[in-house]
Amino acid sequence: MKWSLHDSLKRMPARAASFRSVFAVAEFRRIWLAHLLSIAGDQLARVALTVLVFDRTSSAGWASAAYALTFVPDLVGGALGGVADRFSRRTVMVVTDVGRAVLIALMAVPGLPLPVAVGLLFLVQLLAGPFQAARQAMLPDLLDPDRLVVGQAIISSTYQAGLVVGFGAGAAVVAGLGVPGALLIDAGTFALSALMLRFGLDRYPPSAPSHHKHPSLIAGCRLVARDRKLRWLLLIACCCGFYVVPEGLAVPVAAELGGTGALPWLLAANPVGSVLGGILLSRIPRERQVKVLGALTVASSLVLIPTGWASGLVTIVVLWTLSGVFSAHDMITQTQYSLAAPSAHRGQVIGVAIAALRAAQAAGIAAAGLLAQIFAPTTVVTVAAAAGVLVACVAGMGWSRAVSSRRGPGDHGDPVGPVGGTTPAGEHDS
């Protein structure tokens, strides 16, 4: 596949690309199916470990801690994203899938000591970082810029939908087959994904760049720091640390509202909104998406501010769902970030984003948890939202200046011009 600026401008559609045109790309279909299997596997492993810990300890506290531990490796795994530039991205995805299949199969061994099982799951989640970096780095090789943003919407919406149904489906599988049976099914999902990717994708890139033998998080940070578009896009992405606070405080907010019956509605609000927002935003032409990115980032936090004064579950669920709708701007951010990244270092730069996002989310939830010991949880959501609006305004204005000015000496790529036109962030050959 080859495309150039001239060809892209000639083929630029008057409206957004369709879902059908994206799914018409066979290699994207395989990546999406592998993504779906990965979500199922991740959720199944988390639920199985939580049940295993609870059965062994009879402690809800330890079970919750074990579940939370599964998110910690993402902070480290993002630093490994550079391997997606050192090796073929297909190879990275296949190897990490095979590794996860083996590790989860070991977890299914009867009588395995609990600390060993937790350690194995930690390694499973650690491998998710390079897998995600390789997948994200490959998408611009498969889809032209107009279809890329729709493809990103599909990937993001699939993940959010997986969160909504994952807990119930995972619990049902564990209840029906037991922990060992569920873990073996989980291992099978990763093995199937590896086979699908190995025989369904070409190698992107075909060989490792000779100058990129030792990728590191520090080198990736330097690349981001030198490119103003990447800098502002990363700050926009990290604004999620503010509007993710409702997810972290859902349990105490439900208690403040008077009962655990509110909890499922609160937990589902943001993912459902994100799916709806992804569908709506994917219908907007890419040029328009770029222009409204800053406003959507501000709105994601702005609509949460009334939470502290909301008078009931319905109002709060509506506010949190609207925040989810606006937070679907993440698909625009990821698309522009991928296009702005130097193609030979795309995995490295994406790894920086993965680590930064997880750090922002962890810091936001941790800080909110501390404040919730002093103030009402709904008040904490309002405070976090107000802070998020301020940071989002700065990030949005910086992004607007970056895309409205000409390419400067510090820019490695210029995916959008003054009116959203495409320029190559390195031509993609396959």
Side-chain angles (χ1 to χ4, degrees):
M1 175 194 305
K2 278 193 176 184
W3 58 271
S4 66
L5 170 61
H6 178 67
D7 292 335
S8 296
L9 291 175
K10 285 199 305 181
R11 296 197 304 267
M12 186 176 291
R15 55 183 180 178
S18 66
F19 285 89
R20 178 178 296 181
S21 70
V22 174
F23 277 112
V25 180
E27 289 183 299
F28 175 82
R29 291 199 304 271
R30 295 177 186 118
I31 281 186
W32 176 75
L33 287 172
H35 176 57
L36 190 60
L37 289 169
S38 177
I39 294 172
D42 285 344
Q43 289 298 97
L44 195 53
R46 286 177 176 134
V47 172
L49 178 69
T50 304
V51 172
L52 181 64
V53 171
F54 185 75
D55 287 344
R56 298 274 187 91
T57 65
S58 298
S59 168
W62 280 112
S64 299
Y67 184 84
L69 181 66
T70 63
F71 291 93
V72 173
D74 290 338
L75 293 171
V76 182
L80 304 177
V83 301
D85 299 322
R86 185 176 179 183
F87 305 101
S88 160
R89 284 156 189 160
R90 183 190 68 181
T91 299
V92 172
M93 288 192 288
V94 171
V95 169
T96 51
D97 264 349
V98 170
R100 289 187 283 183
V102 172
L103 291 170
I104 290 174
L106 290 174
M107 288 174 60
V109 174
L112 192 70
L114 192 56
V116 175
V118 172
L120 288 173
L121 186 58
F122 186 94
L123 294 176
V124 169
Q125 294 302 122
L126 190 65
L127 292 175
F131 179 92
Q132 292 168 6
R135 183 195 65 218
Q136 187 70 20
M138 184 185 284
L139 288 178
D141 294 318
L142 304 180
L143 303 171
D144 61 67
D146 290 297
R147 285 190 290 185
L148 177 60
V149 72
V150 180
Q152 190 60 63
I154 293 171
I155 294 291
S156 299
S157 297
T158 300
Y159 175 74
Q160 295 295 339
L163 293 182
V164 174
V165 303
F167 293 110
V173 172
V174 172
L177 300 177
V179 171
L183 288 172
L184 288 176
I185 294 230
D186 186 8
T189 64
F190 286 112
L192 180 59
S193 173
L195 288 172
M196 187 184 307
L197 294 171
R198 171 60 184 82
F199 297 104
L201 298 179
D202 289 333
R203 290 165 58 90
Y204 297 101
S207 60
S210 58
H211 63 280
H212 199 57
K213 294 301 183 184
H214 299 289
S216 69
L217 183 63
I218 294 177
C221 290
R222 288 172 179 164
L223 288 169
V224 173
R226 290 199 300 263
D227 189 304
R228 56 183 174 177
K229 287 192 177 70
L230 291 176
R231 291 197 304 268
W232 290 117
L233 286 168
L234 187 59
L235 182 57
I236 286 174
C238 287
C239 287
C240 67
F242 298 102
Y243 55 78
V244 76
V245 165
E247 179 182 331
L249 295 182
V251 173
V253 168
E256 185 181 342
L257 293 174
T260 56
L263 185 59
W265 294 98
L266 295 174
L267 288 174
N270 187 275
V272 168
S274 295
V275 172
L276 294 174
I279 294 172
L280 293 173
L281 287 179
S282 67
R283 308 314 305 152
I284 301 175
R286 181 168 51 91
E287 299 88 342
R288 182 48 124 178
Q289 292 176 355
V290 171
K291 292 180 179 180
V292 301
L293 177 56
L296 291 173
T297 307
V298 173
S300 299
S301 291
L302 184 64
V303 297
L304 293 174
I305 290 179
T307 298
W309 300 280
S311 58
L313 175 64
V314 174
T315 304
I316 291 179
V317 168
V318 169
L319 292 173
W320 291 14
T321 302
L322 285 174
S323 177
V325 170
F326 292 124
S327 73
H329 72 263
D330 178 63
M331 73 177 196
I332 305 173
T333 308
Q334 291 186 50
T335 299
Q336 295 302 319
Y337 193 86
S338 297
L339 290 174
S343 58
H345 300 273
R346 196 180 294 141
Q348 218 175 355
V349 169
I350 289 172
V352 171
I354 292 173
L357 258 64
R358 293 306 185 195
Q361 291 172 331
I365 291 176
L370 292 174
L371 288 175
Q373 302 298 316
I374 305 172
F375 306 102
T378 50
T379 301
V380 175
V381 172
T382 293
V383 171
V389 168
L390 293 176
V391 177
C393 284
V394 173
M397 288 187 292
W399 167 248
S400 296
R401 287 195 298 268
V403 298
S404 62
S405 62
R406 290 184 176 273
R407 178 179 175 178
D411 290 325
H412 296 293
D414 192 8
V416 287
V419 291
T422 305
T423 60
E427 290 196 359
H428 308 296
D429 300 330
S430 63

